[in-house]
Amino acid sequence: MKKIDIKKIKVIQAPLAGISDKIFRGLIRKYKSKCLMTTEMISSEMLSNNPNARIVEFEDFEYPLSFQLVGHKIDKMVKSAKIIAPFACAIDINCGCPVKKVVVSGDGSAMMKTPELIFDIIRAIKEEVDLPLSVKFRLGWSEKEENYIDFAHTVELAGADFITLHARTRSQMYQGHADWDKIALLKREVNIPVFANGDIKTLEDAIKCLEITNCDGIAIGRGIMGDFTLPYRIEQYFERGVIIPAPTLEEKISMLKKHLQQEVDYMGEKNGVKFMRKFYSYYITSERNASKYRSVLVQLEEQKEILKVLDEILSLHSKNAL
Ligand SMILES: Cc1cc2nc3c(=O)[nH]c(=O)nc-3n(C[C@H](O)[C@H](O)[C@H](O)COP(=O)(O)O)c2cc1C
């Protein structure tokens, strides 16, 4: 697989377990972004014990694609890195996941408590696998234990090629705001590319975040969930200074309908409709009665009922606009 030149990448699709499937990546490409995609986190425990497990079959349009590994055992991380290497353009190590079932075994953001371990893991993978390696991490375990700068130095010294900082602590989970000032501090401290992450939901956010942090690029997660044009619009701003307006509600609903149809085709109506419940609040967030519509939409079980409500939203919206 072709290695990436990270200096040419401005936008990374941040990993989103349970969200970022093939359809998700396809929509990002349909709306013309050439961002670096990232798989959901893949357990090195699982993969190293089932080397023949077919994770997923990836298609050309999904590339450039980085594979994210989660785990803390050196041998299992190296074994997993070697298994995925033929399919990956880069390997990312998850040191940011705050979820209890992940941190309880020392993985995800718990790795920030054991910098010596991440050092050894990076060294060991770099010895065996010739791919760009990145680490995604948080500010630290808690407000009192913020160690992101020391952690970044360790990661850089071990040989990581770039890093992504989600500017929250583990204790914050997803509460409060990402602290972009701290990303700015980090950017001044290291010599490898830094990607800013957290709360970049619009092009304006991206511009502001870049002004504050002076980062090499940004990683976006939830911002894409209701606007697949966002990565492309950010790239266009970076590359050509062009500001492409955000999609209107009409355009977003049309995007949502296509997304729904594709998921239904991919996983069947029952599962597709259930899966799409994760997205409604993001798609219609700008609408005045968003939370009311969301609570209606998440209870529906048939595609045609959803389409009917979406048309109602549109018709009410256009009446209100008159
Ligand atoms: C549903 C969901 C799943 C996530 N899965 C992962 C994951 O597998 N690996 C990871 O490093 N981060 C994961 N994250 C964190 C995101 O990659 C990102 O760091 C976080 O959402 C902040 O960025 P955002 O404000 O752009 O969403 C997940 C976040 C959400 C909301």
Side-chain angles (χ1 to χ4, degrees):
M1 199 46 62
K2 201 165 172 262
K3 278 196 272 178
I4 45 154
D5 176 358
I6 195 59
K7 297 213 172 71
K8 292 193 178 143
I9 304 275
K10 290 295 171 204
V11 179
I12 296 177
Q13 170 251 308
L16 291 168
I19 302 286
S20 51
D21 60 1
K22 190 181 281 290
I23 304 290
F24 187 92
R25 288 189 280 274
L27 284 164
I28 293 175
R29 293 290 183 242
K30 177 181 157 52
Y31 291 97
K32 297 189 286 196
S33 169
K34 47 184 197 276
C35 70
L36 174 63
M37 310 271 198
T38 318
T39 65
E40 309 176 332
M41 59 180 150
I42 300 167
S43 157
S44 59
E45 198 69 39
M46 178 281 290
L47 190 59
S48 58
N49 290 332
N50 306 282
N52 296 325
R54 288 161 66 134
I55 316 164
V56 194
E57 281 183 4
F58 294 95
E59 294 181 46
D60 284 354
F61 70 81
E62 295 171 85
Y63 287 87
L65 180 65
S66 171
F67 280 59
Q68 189 187 60
L69 289 177
V70 63
H72 66 279
K73 294 185 185 142
I74 301 173
D75 56 339
K76 301 204 164 180
M77 289 293 277
V78 172
K79 193 169 173 192
S80 300
K82 284 163 85 175
I83 294 170
I84 59 178
F87 312 101
C89 301
I91 292 178
D92 186 57
I93 302 179
N94 181 333
C95 294
C97 181
V99 175
K100 202 169 170 192
K101 71 173 186 214
V102 171
V103 297
V104 79
S105 49
D107 298 340
S109 51
M111 292 281 285
M112 294 198 69
K113 292 183 165 190
T114 53
E116 62 292 343
L117 201 50
I118 190 70
F119 185 89
D120 289 345
I121 290 173
I122 295 170
R123 274 277 161 101
I125 295 180
K126 289 294 279 185
E127 263 174 34
E128 298 280 344
V129 177
D130 181 24
L131 278 176
L133 189 144
S134 58
V135 181
K136 180 166 176 282
F137 56 98
R138 289 191 173 223
L139 295 176
W141 185 256
S142 67
E143 205 183 335
K144 288 198 180 121
E145 297 159 283
E146 283 189 3
N147 63 339
Y148 61 103
I149 292 188
D150 285 347
F151 192 78
H153 282 309
T154 302
V155 158
E156 180 177 24
L157 194 64
D161 299 281
F162 60 101
I163 49 181
T164 300
L165 178 62
H166 176 192
R168 284 186 173 86
T169 62
R170 188 269 166 176
S171 312
Q172 282 181 289
M173 304 295 282
Y174 291 91
Q175 306 292 312
H177 296 287
D179 189 341
W180 296 341
D181 289 332
K182 290 185 176 158
I183 306 180
L185 278 180
L186 178 68
K187 170 65 191 158
R188 291 199 287 271
E189 287 281 337
V190 291
N191 295 310
I192 47 177
V194 178
F195 287 77
N197 175 237
D199 299 345
I200 299 160
K201 298 190 189 92
T202 62
L203 175 58
E204 292 67 32
D205 291 339
I207 295 171
K208 193 168 165 207
C209 178
L210 278 168
E211 269 169 22
I212 293 175
T213 64
N214 193 29
C215 267
D216 302 272
I218 57 171
I220 332 166
R222 293 164 296 175
I224 307 177
M225 288 177 68
D227 178 7
F228 284 89
T229 70
L230 185 58
Y232 176 70
R233 291 191 294 113
I234 296 173
E235 283 164 354
Q236 288 298 298
Y237 178 77
F238 271 125
E239 284 166 22
R240 299 168 46 222
V242 175
I243 296 192
I244 302 172
T248 60
L249 184 72
E250 286 80 0
E251 286 164 339
K252 280 189 167 198
I253 288 194
S254 151
M255 200 184 289
L256 168 52
K257 286 179 177 175
K258 279 184 206 138
H259 189 181
L260 171 66
Q261 183 62 54
Q262 289 187 21
E263 293 293 358
V264 166
D265 292 344
Y266 187 51
M267 50 176 99
E269 181 167 15
K270 189 165 172 251
N271 292 334
V273 162
K274 206 166 155 206
F275 178 76
M276 286 302 293
R277 291 179 185 158
K278 300 172 185 173
F279 291 86
Y280 298 130
S281 53
Y282 293 97
Y283 270 111
I284 56 171
T285 183
S286 59
E287 182 53 19
R288 219 186 319 160
N289 294 312
S291 63
K292 192 185 91 188
Y293 291 131
R294 190 199 153 270
S295 12
V296 173
L297 285 164
V298 294
Q299 293 188 39
L300 302 178
E301 298 196 343
E302 286 180 32
Q303 185 181 6
K304 67 173 188 295
E305 298 172 320
I306 296 166
L307 295 178
K308 201 168 148 220
V309 174
L310 295 178
D311 286 337
E312 274 169 33
I313 298 176
L314 271 184
S315 123
L316 272 172
H317 179 79
S318 48
K319 271 188 206 143
N320 289 336
L322 290 176

